Amino acid sequence: MRFGLLGTVTVVTDDDPDGDRPGGIPRGRPGDVPGGRRGHIPGGSPGSAPPTIGSAKVRALLAALLAAPGRAVPLHQLKSALWGDAPPATATASLHNHVARLRRVLHEDGRDGSRLRAAPSGYVLDVADGEFDVWTFLGHHAAARGAHRAADWTAVLHECRAALALWRGDPLSDVPLRSDALRALAAHLTEARLLTLEWRFDAELALGRHQGLAAELAGLAAAHPMRETFHRQLMLALHRTHRQAEALAVYHRLRRTLVEELGVEPDIALRTAYQEILTAPADPKETAAGGAGGTGGAEVTAHSAAEAAPGTDTAAAGTGAQAGAGAGAGAGAGAGAGTGTGAGSPSQLPADTPDFTGRAAELDVLLAALRGGPERRGPRIAVVSGMGGVGKTALAVRAAHLLRAEFPDGRLYADLRGFGAGDARDPADLLARFLGDLGADGQPLPADPDDRAVLWRDALHGRRVLLMLDNAGDAAQVTPLLPGGGDVAVVITSRRALGELPGATRLTLEPLSAGEQRELLVSLCGSRRVAAEPEAAAGVLAACGGLPLALRIAGARMAARPHWPLSALAARLDGPDGARLRALSTGGLAVRDTFAMSYVAMRDSPASADRAAAEAFRTLGLWPGDGLDAPAAAALLGLGSADAADDVLEALVDAHLLQAPRPGRYRFHDLVGEFAAECGRAELTAGQRRSALRRVTVWYAATVASALAVLAPEGHPLPPLDEQPPLPPVGFAGDEDALHWCVRELPAIKAALTVAVANGWSDVAWRTAAGLFGYAQAYWWNGEWTACLEEAMACVTARGDALGLAWMHSRLGVAHGMAERYGPSLTHLLAARSRFEASGDLHGVAAILTNLTALYRSTGEYGLALEHGRRSLALHRSLGAVDRVATVLGNLGDTHLFAGDPVAAEECYREALAAWRARGSLTSISRTLTSLAEAKLARGRPAEAVDALTETLALLDRLGDRATAADVLEVLGRAHLARGDRAAARACWQEALDLARAHRLSAEEAAVLRGLAALDAATT
């Protein structure tokens, strides 16, 4: 089956070989390739026209599902795609009808194995590799991007032609774009096509194939009057075909449009091309080839700006206003904003950022590290590291300018190009340049790098020099350039920590604080604009994640659009997958490109450790949760141990592609995580992605089961999965350890459950949800467990998983019972008993009988409760389930107590408590002690009740279970009151009231208020 969105919405099924049935996509209709070329849809035969899918709403439904292939699309998004923001009252029923029609188009009936299947929140359409023209296009697009960065123009041309051949017209051209998601998808595909066209023309020009391009480019420039790249390419094509006057006229028309409509000048790449044409020799073939391909597209514009102001960190460069030196400036000289003040006293620092914002504390640390003093003679070295776009160069340049007067013998600068376009600078070449800068030009330099380093250290002796080494790739690149003595300060910026450099002061930059972010946004957009739309401003700040580069791009976009409200930008930043990274791009700056520099350097590194880290990066991008511990990351990555995962993850932390908020815990910055997800989708096959997610969800299911075995050893044994996790689950020392892990990892466990459900892995989904019973014994009140159970129940229902259905009915019965929703509890428990009986699972039947005992006791049906309790006890004993016997005894004790027989109740509790103490189960001990105290109170022995409850509170404190403490304090207050200690009773009840309100425990709150009211009445 094949799906198409690059034109009309089309589909061809495997049993439709000729593509001539309604709803089919033709096999091989020639596709109109933008720019006048023709191509064929893979696997096709030319000559046919694509039939349309009959219903516009079915086309819209298919498009909405293909906007997120393989992922659940919520019902509200599907309704929005079909009806916009105001769906009719009958939308849900109508949507199901359209789903049925689409299934007929797909030749499916919705049973197991269908591509189009129901999910808990909506529907999923499964698409395999090679079946979707958008994925094929984006694969060629990504390959073209990589080849473009590498200036492999033949490969660029090949990939671009293959990508453009897939297009059959405007994307989704026969679908009304009623929803934001579809509008965003169409805009994304259109932009990707235009970028591909730009790269194709760059390649044509670089390869000298400029003949015949002018007409094509003129049409595109007219269609996109503010797209500067097309205009620059048109200028070069005209110039190289001896039409210089027309080329210059193109520039002047564009400049007039930009100035009059936006108030901005053309970007530096366009200005560079204009200057090249003005100053070109008579034969235009003699103009630099870089003007054709080397400055083409958004990527190359960024490179051009960097060459004009070498080493300027993108976070400092803002919109490129500093980069005005023109084509090729600084490529070999390394000069920035400053110029030398004479031989031996060079001043090469890049321009300072006029609106530099925040970083006061970091600046103080850096200045102190670089300044000398009586106790700090000799070289001072400071390393400023951090993720791409965090503002390393901006901070270093600001500090260097503030220290200019303290280094009269020179301020040297070099961009080491450790990350980004161009080859990394060779330390030997830089030594030659620096020696020349300090006036050693007349001396012949030795060829050996070590000998040059000796001369360099000698040249620095006795001088006060500030050396800025920007964008270092690793310590090996920096070490030969370091001074051996003298009053020299060296500031190094790098995306790596450079921990190998001895004696260096290290400053790791984190994203800006909330106050600094707002201050920077105000400086870029104006205080009135920000104050007028506080919610939109907050949305922009959240989307930018505290990165100065992202904020500067956002500010540049708003500055170029003075009539835009901030809410327009906030909406673009809050789009579907990848929307933020697309929106955070302007001119030659792009957040995505900044992250790509770090990633590509690792991916293409000759070092196997770097390549392994890059592979881990794109695989980690598949994980939808907030973070992972090392064992879970090892499962996702397919490694055999947490230690092995730590090694590769720490390499990513060192490269500032990953964060480590605490030892052994790892997470992405939001924007980096979005980029990693893109890399995972682009560079991993569907099978690789699925296998990685399966590994980590199986590991979480196994570890949740491990925690359950510790927290509720008496429970109905959870059937293990057929497959083993890639590494052993976490082992727990006791209740505290297991419960604390569940609390800490709950967001990740929920993410694993959602992944399992989205992939239709019901076996993993229901075991994960069922295993959280151990957690729920302490945290039933927050509703998290019930939500997980309902999500898993929807999955097992959709998949027809009989065993999973029995377990989910059982667990939902327990969850509703804990929350005192007795009607739903009874319904689920009876359904579970029926399924366990049908399957012959006597342990399951016994467990349900125990739960029914508790339920009937809670509803006051003590006869039924005792009947079910006795049947449960007999069945458990016949099965040899010793651990479960203690639970049944506890339930029977509760029933006797409520039925007015505290003596029988106490007997049951004592027997159960002895069993729990033997097992060391703190949760069960605390629960049974509370019940025992109630029996003692009923028998008129409050002092013994106080002793039992005091032990209970100590156990709950160890477990961190404050919600259950509210119930225990209510009982303890009654015990103190029975002893005549009103003050102690009031103190207990007041604390219980605070806890009940904090945890939204209405029944406990009501009981406590009754006690306090009785106390107040007795004292008046």
Side-chain angles (χ1 to χ4, degrees):
M1 187 172 290
R2 297 190 301 281
F3 301 90
L5 294 183
L6 302 180
T8 57
V9 177
T10 48
V11 59
V12 63
T13 58
D14 294 333
D15 56 355
D16 182 26
D18 298 321
D20 56 359
R21 52 179 287 278
I25 184 172
R27 289 188 180 270
R29 170 186 175 270
D32 291 333
V33 181
R37 300 183 183 272
R38 306 283 288 178
H40 298 287
I41 295 173
S45 58
S48 58
T52 59
I53 299 173
S55 163
K57 284 195 165 48
V58 173
R59 293 196 298 272
L61 173 62
L62 177 57
L65 291 165
L66 287 172
R71 296 196 304 253
V73 182
L75 292 179
H76 70 86
Q77 289 187 17
L78 296 175
K79 293 177 186 177
S80 179
L82 271 62
W83 292 283
D85 295 332
T90 59
T92 299
S94 182
L95 175 62
H96 292 312
N97 291 334
H98 290 306
V99 168
R101 293 188 185 101
L102 179 55
R103 283 197 169 118
R104 287 197 291 272
V105 171
L106 301 178
H107 287 188
E108 294 187 341
D109 57 10
R111 291 179 297 190
D112 285 356
S114 294
R115 290 174 175 273
L116 179 54
R117 50 190 171 82
S121 58
Y123 287 91
V124 179
L125 179 62
D126 289 323
V127 178
D129 284 351
E131 292 185 330
F132 189 21
D133 64 354
V134 170
W135 281 353
T136 305
F137 165 72
L138 292 177
H140 289 301
H141 179 82
R145 178 193 292 116
H148 191 279
R149 287 177 177 155
D152 184 352
W153 302 116
T154 301
V156 171
L157 195 58
H158 171 78
E159 295 293 344
C160 287
R161 285 176 172 171
L164 295 169
L166 295 164
W167 284 76
R168 298 170 282 108
D170 292 332
L172 292 78
S173 56
D174 60 344
V175 172
L177 303 179
R178 294 189 173 98
S179 70
D180 291 340
L182 289 184
R183 285 191 290 269
L185 175 62
H188 166 59
L189 293 174
T190 300
E191 174 62 22
R193 171 182 166 270
L194 292 174
L195 267 177
T196 307
L197 279 166
E198 291 177 357
W199 296 338
R200 180 205 137 203
F201 290 124
D202 276 342
E204 301 268 23
L205 289 167
L207 294 170
R209 302 175 184 177
H210 43 266
Q211 295 294 339
L213 294 184
E216 210 173 332
L217 283 164
L220 286 165
H224 306 279
M226 295 193 187
R227 201 166 184 99
E228 294 171 81
T229 301
F230 286 148
H231 288 78
R232 177 182 53 74
Q233 292 167 333
L234 175 58
M235 289 165 58
L236 292 170
L238 290 168
H239 174 54
R240 294 182 184 185
T241 51
H242 307 282
R243 299 160 69 182
Q244 183 182 33
E246 293 176 70
L248 297 175
V250 170
Y251 176 85
H252 288 295
R253 281 196 301 271
L254 174 64
R255 181 182 181 277
R256 185 165 53 251
T257 299
L258 291 174
V259 171
E260 290 177 358
E261 296 194 21
L262 300 180
V264 298
E265 289 287 339
D267 69 19
I268 189 170
L270 203 89
R271 297 199 305 270
T272 299
Y274 176 70
Q275 290 297 326
E276 288 178 350
I277 294 170
L278 281 177
T279 59
D283 183 358
K285 293 179 182 179
E286 295 178 19
T287 58
T295 57
E299 326 254 13
V300 183
T301 302
H303 176 61
S304 302
E307 287 293 322
T312 302
D313 188 289
T314 48
T319 60
Q322 299 173 20
T339 58
T341 58
S345 182
S347 183
Q348 301 171 351
L349 298 176
D352 195 6
T353 305
D355 55 358
F356 184 90
T357 302
R359 302 292 194 203
E362 293 93 335
L363 185 60
D364 287 344
V365 171
L366 185 55
L367 290 172
L370 296 174
R371 281 193 168 106
E375 74 289 351
R376 294 195 63 187
R377 306 307 301 175
R380 282 91 61 201
I381 302 170
V383 177
V384 182
S385 64
M387 62 190 295
V390 81
K392 302 178 292 296
T393 298
L395 176 68
V397 168
R398 168 57 59 99
H401 276 281
L402 291 174
L403 295 172
R404 288 173 69 108
E406 300 182 28
F407 297 94
D409 297 322
R411 282 79 58 196
L412 300 177
Y413 171 90
D415 178 4
L416 274 59
R417 298 186 200 144
F419 301 89
D423 294 334
R425 302 292 293 273
D426 188 330
D429 294 340
L430 287 171
L431 287 169
R433 203 205 85 186
F434 286 153
L435 286 166
D437 292 339
L438 290 183
D441 312 67
Q443 303 178 19
L445 293 178
D448 187 273
D450 291 340
D451 293 339
R452 290 186 182 185
V454 171
L455 287 179
W456 168 239
R457 292 192 291 270
D458 183 62
L460 289 175
H461 183 71
R463 297 179 189 249
R464 299 185 66 188
V465 173
L466 174 65
L467 176 62
M468 181 172 173
L469 303 176
D470 196 16
N471 193 17
D474 52 34
Q477 191 183 21
V478 169
T479 301
L481 307 175
L482 299 180
D487 193 6
V488 179
V490 184
V491 57
I492 304 163
T493 71
S494 179
R495 299 187 184 196
R496 298 182 186 272
L498 305 187
E500 307 93 317
L501 295 179
T505 298
R506 287 178 176 79
L507 180 61
T508 300
L509 291 192
E510 301 294 341
L512 294 173
S513 68
E516 291 171 332
Q517 294 176 49
R518 182 176 178 81
E519 183 182 353
L520 180 55
L521 186 65
V522 167
S523 72
L524 296 168
C525 298
S527 58
R528 289 186 180 180
R529 216 169 180 183
V530 174
E533 296 183 272
E535 290 186 6
V540 171
L541 294 176
C544 291
L547 284 191
L549 169 63
L551 284 164
R552 289 189 177 280
I553 291 173
R557 296 194 68 173
M558 295 307 296
R561 298 161 178 82
H563 302 299
W564 269 27
L566 268 179
S567 56
L569 177 60
R572 282 163 171 77
L573 292 170
D574 192 30
D577 288 349
R580 277 197 298 175
L581 292 178
R582 289 193 298 274
L584 291 174
S585 172
T586 184
L589 295 175
V591 170
R592 177 187 282 108
D593 294 345
T594 298
F595 297 156
M597 291 178 188
S598 298
Y599 168 66
V600 172
M602 278 192 151
R603 186 193 66 190
D604 299 344
S605 168
S608 60
D610 282 348
R611 295 195 301 275
E615 182 180 357
F617 177 79
R618 55 184 175 263
T619 304
L620 289 167
L622 304 176
W623 177 246
D626 181 52
L628 288 170
D629 277 357
L636 179 68
L637 299 175
L639 301 175
S641 69
D643 289 341
D646 266 328
D647 291 341
V648 70
L649 296 171
E650 287 298 329
L652 290 171
V653 172
D654 289 342
H656 293 285
L657 286 171
L658 198 62
Q659 298 173 335
R662 59 176 173 78
R665 183 73 177 181
Y666 301 93
R667 70 184 182 198
F668 282 120
H669 182 280
D670 281 354
L671 287 167
V672 178
E674 194 169 306
F675 173 72
E678 284 188 0
C679 293
R681 289 192 296 268
E683 300 183 38
L684 295 173
T685 67
Q688 289 173 323
R689 297 193 296 269
R690 191 174 175 87
S691 294
L693 291 173
R694 177 75 183 184
R695 287 193 300 265
V696 71
T697 55
V698 166
W699 182 85
Y700 267 115
T703 303
V704 167
S706 175
L708 176 65
V710 173
L711 292 168
E714 78 285 1
H716 183 194
L718 195 63
L721 279 162
D722 293 335
E723 64 191 281
Q724 293 297 312
L727 73 162
V730 175
F732 300 103
D735 288 32
E736 297 167 82
D737 191 22
L739 185 57
H740 290 165
W741 181 87
C742 289
V743 172
R744 186 181 70 244
E745 289 297 304
L746 183 64
I749 296 168
K750 290 166 60 181
L753 174 60
T754 299
V755 168
V757 169
N759 283 279
W761 298 328
S762 61
D763 56 340
V764 174
W766 72 257
R767 284 175 171 84
T768 303
L772 283 173
F773 171 64
Y775 161 85
Q777 289 186 110
Y779 291 92
W780 57 269
W781 49 270
N782 62 18
E784 295 279 12
W785 187 41
T786 303
C788 290
L789 291 170
E790 289 173 346
E791 187 176 3
M793 172 62 95
C795 183
V796 297
T797 302
R799 304 296 294 178
D801 186 331
L803 181 59
L805 281 166
W807 272 88
M808 288 300 92
H809 278 302
S810 171
R811 290 301 205 229
L812 278 166
V814 173
H816 286 299
M818 285 178 165
E820 300 179 1
R821 296 185 290 267
Y822 300 125
S825 175
L826 181 59
T827 299
H828 281 293
L829 290 175
L830 292 177
R833 183 174 68 177
S834 175
R835 289 181 175 275
F836 283 134
E837 286 174 345
S839 66
D841 185 351
L842 295 181
H843 287 278
V845 173
I848 297 301
L849 288 171
T850 302
N851 294 326
L852 287 169
T853 302
L855 174 64
Y856 287 128
R857 182 199 69 236
S858 299
T859 58
E861 299 171 88
Y862 303 126
L864 283 173
L866 289 170
E867 176 191 341
H868 283 81
R870 292 177 181 124
R871 287 173 57 192
S872 175
L873 186 62
L875 183 54
H876 277 104
R877 282 176 169 156
S878 71
L879 293 171
V882 178
D883 288 336
R884 289 291 294 164
V885 167
T887 300
V888 178
L889 285 168
N891 274 326
L892 276 173
D894 293 342
T895 305
H896 283 304
L897 184 63
F898 277 82
D901 188 353
V903 175
E906 184 172 346
E907 183 180 344
C908 290
Y909 293 144
R910 287 188 178 281
E911 188 177 350
L913 184 60
W916 293 133
R917 289 193 190 280
R919 284 297 303 264
S921 177
L922 301 186
T923 302
S924 298
I925 292 170
S926 64
R927 187 171 59 243
T928 308
L929 280 169
T930 305
S931 299
L932 180 62
E934 290 273 24
K936 289 183 178 297
L937 270 178
R939 296 187 66 186
R941 296 192 293 212
E944 294 178 26
V946 169
D947 292 341
L949 293 167
T950 301
E951 181 183 356
T952 302
L953 287 173
L955 291 173
L956 292 176
D957 188 57
R958 288 173 60 185
L959 291 168
D961 183 359
R962 298 294 288 155
T964 303
D967 182 51
V968 174
L969 285 164
E970 189 276 326
V971 181
L972 183 57
R974 286 191 277 118
H976 281 305
L977 186 62
R979 294 175 62 229
D981 191 341
R982 294 176 176 272
R986 183 179 296 278
C988 287
W989 282 338
Q990 192 60 57
E991 185 179 355
L993 182 63
D994 294 340
L995 288 173
R997 287 173 172 168
H999 294 88
R1000 304 185 299 279
L1001 304 175
S1002 56
E1004 282 74 8
E1005 180 182 358
V1008 169
L1009 288 173
R1010 286 194 299 269
L1012 288 171
L1015 268 184
D1016 293 338
T1019 56
T1020 57

